[in-house]
Amino acid sequence: MKIAIVCYPTFGGSGVVATELGIALAKLNHEVHFITYKQPVRLNLLNPNIHFHEVSVPAYPLFHYQPYELALSSKLVGTIKKYNIDILHVHYAIPHAYAGYMAKKMLEEEGIHIPMVTTLHGTDITLVGNHPFYKPAVTFSINKSDIVTSVSQSLKDDTLRLFDIKKNIEVVPNFIDVSQRQTSFTDCQREVMATPEERIVTHISNFRVVKRISDIVDIFYNIQKKIPAKLLMVGEGPERGPAEKKCKELGIKDKVVFFGNSNEIDKILCFSDLFLLPSERESFGLAALEAMVNKVPVISSNAGGIPEVNTQGVSGYLSDVGNVKEMSENAIRILEDDNVLERFKQNAYNEAKKFDVNTIVPKYIALYESALAIF
Ligand code: GMT
């Protein structure tokens, strides 16, 4: 099949999932065309089945806001025609499903019919898409998609609750390539980050308010009072500055490392002992799954789709949002005993295996085939 994938090219989970999906499809000999405004961060173009088409929006003084969806839909029309694309798969409803629908309609005028699959990722539904400014357009473009998927049952439920959706929504969970983790990184230089007696606690995100970064600092503050430990904070976003300030005020600055965005997530996770994800909302929690496949147990909130990934008492523990006390106690319970930690590490890995690329990607391929059968 020839598949066009539209996604955000940034470090966010939706872009990562879209990129990993494209890479997996290319390995299965499908021809994949990424269409977005920058080369996606996790994409290397070494596979001959992978192509990248950049969407540019020329600046014009009249435009207060540059019309990205106009440029995207035009680029889609051109690329779909030039490469005889079979399937259009858009990740994140805003504005991708909207632009995709416009492209579909323009192509129909020329007798070209292309099915559109829309994958909902979370904030496009629970945070941004739900705003009255966007809601009618988001509802419309979901209903006009040929196939709609969501990354968790929780996100499906939220979508049906928040929007007037007439389409069936298929749940296709996010995935990881288990075999890649087994072979790609063997040189785990833990001693660079911590002394042998220190435990390493890690958080990775876009440092937005929804991630409750302040809770992470509080949980770590409680941990390091009981157990020698380091905190690795990976990512960039508005809450990074306040978190650095808070670490300084609490006197734990020397125990916390802020990395910024990193393309070496597996390298960092390979020497981590615990992952913290106390988010206010989370449709899935891809970062937690990436931790688990690297044998890192997870202390998380029980928000949204996280319970579909992190299993209570098995791969980690879940608490109500904001229950820093319980999260700290559970973290210490895992970290203070070598045997307990080892058991949770192994469990985390075993749970992660349920989301292997070889199990999940065929679900997308089956959906593409059913979409093609409609046309
Ligand atoms: O986590 C974020 O804020 C980024 C956001 C995105 O759109 O990239 O992530 C969402 O999609 C990920 C991939 O499906 C999910 O794993 C995240 O849980 C989801 N984030 C939220 O729902 C807050």
Side-chain angles (χ1 to χ4, degrees), residues 145-156:
S145 303
D146 296 292
I147 301 236
V148 182
T149 77
S150 75
V151 298
S152 63
Q153 181 62 43
S154 156
L155 180 59
K156 174 177 175 172

Side-chain angles (χ1 to χ4, degrees), residues 12-15 17 92 121-123 126-127 151 174 206 208 210-211 281-287:
S14 68
V17 169
Y92 210 86
H121 278 276
T123 41
T126 55
L127 271 179
V151 298
N174 289 333
N206 53 19
R208 300 208 179 270
V210 75
K211 303 292 173 181
R281 280 196 201 131
E282 203 72 64
S283 69
F284 183 90
L286 181 65

Side-chain angles (χ1 to χ4, degrees), residues 222-239:
N222 293 336
I223 294 173
Q224 58 83 45
K225 281 199 282 188
K226 293 266 164 95
I227 299 168
K230 283 263 163 62
L231 175 62
L232 310 185
M233 299 284 262
V234 185
E236 280 297 344
E239 293 299 297

Side-chain angles (χ1 to χ4, degrees), residues 265-312:
I265 295 305
D266 291 335
K267 225 176 199 177
I268 294 165
L269 288 168
C270 96
F271 46 60
S272 300
D273 296 305
L274 194 70
F275 190 80
L276 301 181
L277 192 68
S279 308
E280 180 91 39
R281 280 196 201 131
E282 203 72 64
S283 69
F284 183 90
L286 181 65
L289 180 59
E290 293 192 320
M292 286 160 58
V293 78
N294 282 288
K295 299 194 171 169
V296 185
V298 176
I299 293 293
S300 67
S301 69
N302 52 17
I306 303 179
E308 296 172 49
V309 183
N310 186 20
T311 307
Q312 180 76 307

Side-chain angles (χ1 to χ4, degrees), residues 201-203 207-223 231 233 239 242-243 246-247 250 252 276-281 299-303 319-329 331:
V201 180
T202 299
H203 171 74
F207 284 62
R208 300 208 179 270
V209 173
V210 75
K211 303 292 173 181
R212 295 187 68 100
I213 301 297
S214 176
D215 286 3
I216 293 166
V217 176
D218 287 334
I219 296 165
F220 177 73
Y221 181 72
N222 293 336
I223 294 173
L231 175 62
M233 299 284 262
E239 293 299 297
K246 183 166 177 168
C247 290
L250 290 171
I252 55 170
L276 301 181
L277 192 68
S279 308
E280 180 91 39
R281 280 196 201 131
I299 293 293
S300 67
S301 69
N302 52 17
S319 304
D320 290 341
V321 172
N323 193 341
V324 166
K325 184 172 176 287
E326 189 179 280
M327 290 185 200
S328 308
E329 285 163 2

Side-chain angles (χ1 to χ4, degrees), residues 50 58 120 316 360:
I50 295 182
L120 309 174
I360 308 299

